[in-house]
């Protein structure tokens, strides 16, 4: 609540500043009347939104609905949705990207989806981590008292630090908290190393970091949880992609394409290569796409992922972004969380199981798979018949939307490495690991397999953003990424939205949504002010 208020006030403050600048300019410069005039005809200002993920679709739709702008959205891919990507698998579907609605109070996505009864709020109260069983390399399931101790310890880490503890990395703090918790909830020594290793992997999946020493505790503390169930699934046939249609035309998107009907202001396969902020002689923006087409506008809203910005910002923007913006892009973090889905002819796991968490033996000293500087050769090194990178596999989990599928998660350098392997290689090794941990089940080969490659995907170059220790050391945060580039006249010409620009809901769909609203509102308010 309190943070929500702060967000609104900041927005208001920014708009006021812009208005002051603009009114000052207005006395001397005629460029900034709210409309161009051709005789009696009022011509609306043009806004181009770049990227058709949740942030871009939301911004575009708000601008169109305001009736004040001529809007175009350029999406590089052949589909909209970005990191919201539902896909058919056999007779059902799976989510390649966003899966859950995280929380209820203050979550705009919950509000929208719940009002249309698209969510499974009744039965899916799964706690992804603690309701799954923990299994060791020898196939032993942890006994209930031990399991309970593990989940209590895990809960203490997931609760996060107190306000006065937020210094250093997530890893340093979590290890300290883990060791303190062991005093009251003891675990046998070798098991405790395996459990700590699993919690490390789990935390990296939540954060999207390579390892938890990379992740800033202060940055993580600034992330705000919405009260309520943190892992709400969509109720089939609704899926995360239903949201795309709801945003664009109020109607949930459906199978089999999971793509909404697109209005004519959205163009697909328009990969933006360069965004040029024109000088004062010709105020505005010129955008060049890879097909050679050029598009000019008065304002643009960029919704590139942080990964795309990291890889391409030098060639994307002319002139180059300011030093502070570049420093922010380079020092905020985005990792590589990949999901793999295995569809079996029939379900071979009991109804009571919602997932298997894999606990590797000898995690110390061999388990260095998470080191950011580890090379591929080391990651491929054989340890007891398995490449080292396997140790980064979190486990196998049931999929709410698919009765015969399991998914698996992997992050960090291992996750990037497997993107370079063939589907067959990856599937075989994951299945071999699964059979090793679950020797008591007769596990058939999957009939279908699919997996994500969020890092090699040139439209994402990563999964979701996090706050690195480097962000903290350089004191660069999302507010810097979110700040618009002003034209010579002080008007915002190039705006930035997307999950990574949100100061407390970063890495989420609701954060992306709010950032789209924020940037559309910035331009609408500006237009209203200049029109009056
Ligand atoms: C594996 C995974 C699991 C996740 N789980 C959850 C979850 O459970 N709950 C949750 O809330 N969030 C989750 N997220 C995060 C969530 O999906 C994102 O935060 C959100 O979808 C980001 O939306 P966005 O609009 O900011 O960015 P994007 O979705 O990345 O949109 C950017 C758009 O820009 C386009 N683009 C990129 N480059 C160009 C170019 N040069 N020219 C034109 N267009 C371009 C892209 O194709 C894309 O459509 C998950 C993400 C991943 C990857």
């Amino acid at each position: 609540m309190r943070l929500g208020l702060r967000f609104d006030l900041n927005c208001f403050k920014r708009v006021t500043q812009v208005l002051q600048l603009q009114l000052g300019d207005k006395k001397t410069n005629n460029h900034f009347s709210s409309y161009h005039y051709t005789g009696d005809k009022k011509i609306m200002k043009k806004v181009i939104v770049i990227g058709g993920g949740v942030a871009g679709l939301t911004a575009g739709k708000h601008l169109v609905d305001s009736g004040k702008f001529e809007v175009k959205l350029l999406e590089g891919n052949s589909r909209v949705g970005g990191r919201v990507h539902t896909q058919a698998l056999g007779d059902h579907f799976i989510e390649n990207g966003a899966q859950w609605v995280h929380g209820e109070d203050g979550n705009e996505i919950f509000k929208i989806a719940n009002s249309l009864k698209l969510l499974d709020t009744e039965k899916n109260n799964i706690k992804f981590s603690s309701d799954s069983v923990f299994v060791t390399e020898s196939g032993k399931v942890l006994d209930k008292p031990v399991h309970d101790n593990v989940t209590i310890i895990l809960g203490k880490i997931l609760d996060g630090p107190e306000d006065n503890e937020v210094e250093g990395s997530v890893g340093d703090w979590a290890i300290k908290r883990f060791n303190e918790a062991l005093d009251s909830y003891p675990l046998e020594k070798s098991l405790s190393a395996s459990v700590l290793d699993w919690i490390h992997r789990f935390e990296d999946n939540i954060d999207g970091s390579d390892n938890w020493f990379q992740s800033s505790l202060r940055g993580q503390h600034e992330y705000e949880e919405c009260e309520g169930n943190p892992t709400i699934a969509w109720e089939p046939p609704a899926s995360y992609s239903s949201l795309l249609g709801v945003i664009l035309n109020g109607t949930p998107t459906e199978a089999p394409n999971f793509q909404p009907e697109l209005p004519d202001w959205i163009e697909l396969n328009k990969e933006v290569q360069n965004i040029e902020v024109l000088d004062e002689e010709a105020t505005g923006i010129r955008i060049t796409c890879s097909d050679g087409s050029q598009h000019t506008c008065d304002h643009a809203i960029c919704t590139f992922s942080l990964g795309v910005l990291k890889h391409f910002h030098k060639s994307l923007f002319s002139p180059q972004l300011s030093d502070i913006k570049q420093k922010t892009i380079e020092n905020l973090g985005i990792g590589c969380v990949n999901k793999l889905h295995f569809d079996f002819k029939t379900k071979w796991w009991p109804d009571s199981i919602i997932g298997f968490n894999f606990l590797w033996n000898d995690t110390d000293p061999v388990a260095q798979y998470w080191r950011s500087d580890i090379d591929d050769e080391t990651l491929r090194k054989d340890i007891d018949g398995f490449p080292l990178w396997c140790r980064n596999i979190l486990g196998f989990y049931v999929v709410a939307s698919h009765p015969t599928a399991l998914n698996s998660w992997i992050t960090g350098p291992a996750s990037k490495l497997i993107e370079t392997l063939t589907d067959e290689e990856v599937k075989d090794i994951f299945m071999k690991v699964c059979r090793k941990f679950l020797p008591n089940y007769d596990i058939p080969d999957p009939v279908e397999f699919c997996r994500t490659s969020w890092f090699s995907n040139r439209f994402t170059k990563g999964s979701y953003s996090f706050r690195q220790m480097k962000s903290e050391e350089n004191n660069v945060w999302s507010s810097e990424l979110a700040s618009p580039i002003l034209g010579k006249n002080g008007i915002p010409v190039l705006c930035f939205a997307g999950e990574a620009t949100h100061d407390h809901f970063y890495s989420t769909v609701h954060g992306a949504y709010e950032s789209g609203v924020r940037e559309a509102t910035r331009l609408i308010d500006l237009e209203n002010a200049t029109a009056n």
Side-chain angles (χ1 to χ4, degrees):
M1 259 321 256
R2 199 169 50 79
L3 280 168
L5 182 63
R6 198 182 70 195
F7 174 71
D8 287 339
L9 285 174
N10 280 342
C11 236
F12 177 72
K13 243 194 279 171
R14 275 198 297 271
V15 170
T16 315
Q17 281 161 1
V18 168
L19 292 184
Q20 280 163 353
L21 282 166
Q22 187 192 29
L23 290 174
D25 275 320
K26 226 179 163 183
K27 291 180 199 141
T28 54
N29 195 327
N30 286 332
H31 287 310
F32 316 120
S33 59
S34 54
Y35 298 99
H36 306 298
Y37 284 89
T38 326
D40 284 346
K41 197 163 178 277
K42 206 157 73 170
I43 299 175
M44 288 196 272
K45 283 209 173 139
K46 290 185 187 161
V47 182
I48 293 185
V49 179
I50 304 169
V54 167
L57 296 179
T58 306
K61 178 65 174 158
H62 272 67
L63 291 167
V64 167
D65 285 354
S66 74
K68 293 179 187 303
F69 301 95
E70 195 182 317
V71 180
K72 192 189 282 188
L73 185 151
L74 303 173
E75 166 54 52
N77 211 336
S78 54
R79 62 170 182 88
V80 293
R83 284 171 277 171
V84 167
H85 184 205
T86 313
Q87 181 188 320
L89 182 70
D91 296 336
H92 300 272
F93 65 83
I94 51 101
E95 303 288 359
N96 282 315
Q99 185 154 341
W100 296 289
V101 175
H102 294 310
E104 300 168 31
D105 294 350
N107 185 328
E108 286 298 314
I109 305 300
F110 177 80
K111 210 176 353 172
I112 295 167
N114 195 44
S115 69
L116 294 170
K117 305 206 176 331
L118 300 175
L119 298 177
D120 173 1
T121 48
E122 294 293 309
K123 57 179 184 289
N124 190 54
N125 260 317
I126 287 170
K127 286 187 213 71
F128 177 60
S129 50
S130 56
D131 290 349
S132 319
V133 293
F134 287 88
V135 283
T136 67
E137 264 188 71
S138 55
K140 183 176 175 336
V141 175
L142 293 193
D143 297 338
K144 176 131 179 36
V146 184
H147 175 98
D148 288 349
N149 275 3
V150 171
T151 53
I152 290 170
I153 295 171
L154 176 64
K156 287 185 178 297
I157 291 174
L158 294 182
D159 280 348
E162 303 298 329
D163 289 345
N164 61 358
E165 283 185 306
V166 290
E167 256 182 48
S169 73
V170 169
D172 289 333
W173 171 83
I175 291 171
K176 188 164 148 271
R177 172 74 57 104
F178 181 84
N179 288 329
E180 286 164 4
L182 281 181
D183 290 343
S184 312
Y185 306 96
L187 298 173
E188 192 252 313
K189 192 154 183 286
S190 65
L191 179 66
S192 86
S194 299
V195 168
L196 182 64
D197 176 68
W198 186 86
I199 296 177
H200 183 178
R201 267 177 283 154
F202 184 61
E203 189 68 53
D204 292 344
N205 273 270
I206 298 175
D207 260 10
S209 53
D210 285 356
N211 64 67
W212 57 10
F213 303 111
Q214 220 182 22
S215 190
S216 152
L217 193 59
R218 178 181 147 200
Q220 199 193 65
H221 195 57
E222 281 170 8
Y223 176 86
E224 200 189 333
E225 306 266 357
C226 296
E227 288 290 317
N229 183 351
T231 46
I232 304 170
W234 296 71
E235 174 85 63
S239 68
Y240 234 121
S241 291
S242 303
L243 177 68
L244 308 175
V246 173
I247 290 173
L248 286 178
N249 49 43
T251 316
T253 322
E254 289 175 2
N257 296 331
F258 303 101
Q259 281 287 289
E261 197 175 317
L262 296 185
D264 58 8
W265 50 270
I266 296 185
E267 295 183 32
L268 298 179
N269 301 306
K270 286 282 177 195
E271 182 172 2
V272 170
Q273 276 189 333
N274 185 256
I275 302 160
E276 187 181 355
V277 179
L278 300 170
D279 63 22
E280 203 163 357
E281 297 306 305
T283 44
I285 306 254
R286 179 165 44 227
I287 293 171
T288 308
C289 293
S290 57
D291 61 3
S293 61
Q294 289 202 318
H295 311 256
T296 52
C297 58
D298 299 283
H299 309 275
I301 301 179
C302 300
T303 70
F304 302 117
S305 73
L306 180 64
V308 168
L309 288 172
K310 272 183 189 292
H311 278 78
F312 305 121
H313 74 85
K314 290 223 157 85
S315 57
L316 268 177
F317 298 98
S318 308
Q320 297 272 293
L321 295 172
S322 65
D323 288 350
I324 181 74
K325 200 104 170 166
Q326 293 194 37
K327 198 164 150 190
T328 309
I329 289 168
E330 280 151 20
N331 289 294
L332 286 174
I334 182 161
C336 177
V337 180
N338 272 318
K339 288 195 216 172
L340 303 93
H341 284 91
F342 306 80
D343 183 14
F344 299 93
K345 193 156 176 240
T346 49
K347 179 178 164 188
W348 50 262
W349 54 94
D351 285 343
S352 58
I353 297 278
I354 66 141
F356 303 97
N357 304 318
F358 294 165
L359 299 174
W360 293 88
N361 298 336
D362 305 324
T363 48
D364 192 27
V366 285
Q368 297 273 311
Y369 54 79
W370 42 260
R371 273 178 22 229
S372 293
D373 62 351
I374 199 161
D375 56 46
D376 285 0
E377 201 187 325
T378 313
L379 277 172
R380 288 171 196 267
K381 217 165 76 187
D382 185 284
I383 298 175
D384 300 334
F386 291 86
L388 175 62
W389 62 256
C390 286
R391 288 174 174 261
N392 211 350
I393 299 172
L394 190 66
F396 272 61
Y397 302 92
V398 301
V399 179
S401 60
H402 201 306
T404 54
L406 293 180
N407 73 12
S408 188
W409 299 64
I410 186 163
T411 184
S415 186
K416 289 179 190 162
L417 171 76
I418 67 165
E419 291 189 9
T420 66
L421 307 181
T422 66
D423 280 355
E424 220 41 41
E425 281 175 292
V426 172
K427 183 181 74 176
D428 287 352
I429 297 179
F430 269 73
M431 287 312 301
K432 193 172 157 194
V433 169
C434 186
R435 290 184 178 112
K436 174 185 173 69
F437 277 88
L438 305 173
N440 299 328
Y441 294 92
D442 187 13
I443 304 177
D445 281 336
V447 285
E448 286 208 53
F449 167 69
C450 66
R451 59 164 171 154
T452 57
S453 296
W454 290 112
F455 181 70
S456 10
N457 183 335
R458 70 180 190 284
F459 296 118
T460 46
K461 302 300 292 172
S463 48
Y464 33 87
S465 69
F466 68 100
R467 283 30 186 159
Q468 299 197 95
M469 286 307 290
K470 285 204 292 179
S471 335
E472 186 172 334
E473 283 150 20
N474 288 282
N475 199 22
V476 284
W477 305 95
S478 52
S479 53
E480 201 50 62
L481 196 61
S483 68
I485 292 174
L486 306 181
K488 294 253 164 61
N489 43 51
I491 301 285
V493 283
L494 190 53
C495 304
F496 292 83
E499 57 85 7
T501 67
H502 203 292
D503 60 359
H504 59 273
F505 288 153
Y506 60 85
S507 77
T508 64
V509 176
H510 52 288
Y513 179 90
E514 281 200 359
S515 75
V517 175
R518 182 191 68 215
E519 294 312 313
T521 307
R522 187 194 297 280
L523 296 181
I524 294 167
D525 286 354
L526 182 65
E527 199 58 17
N528 284 339
T530 46
N532 292 331

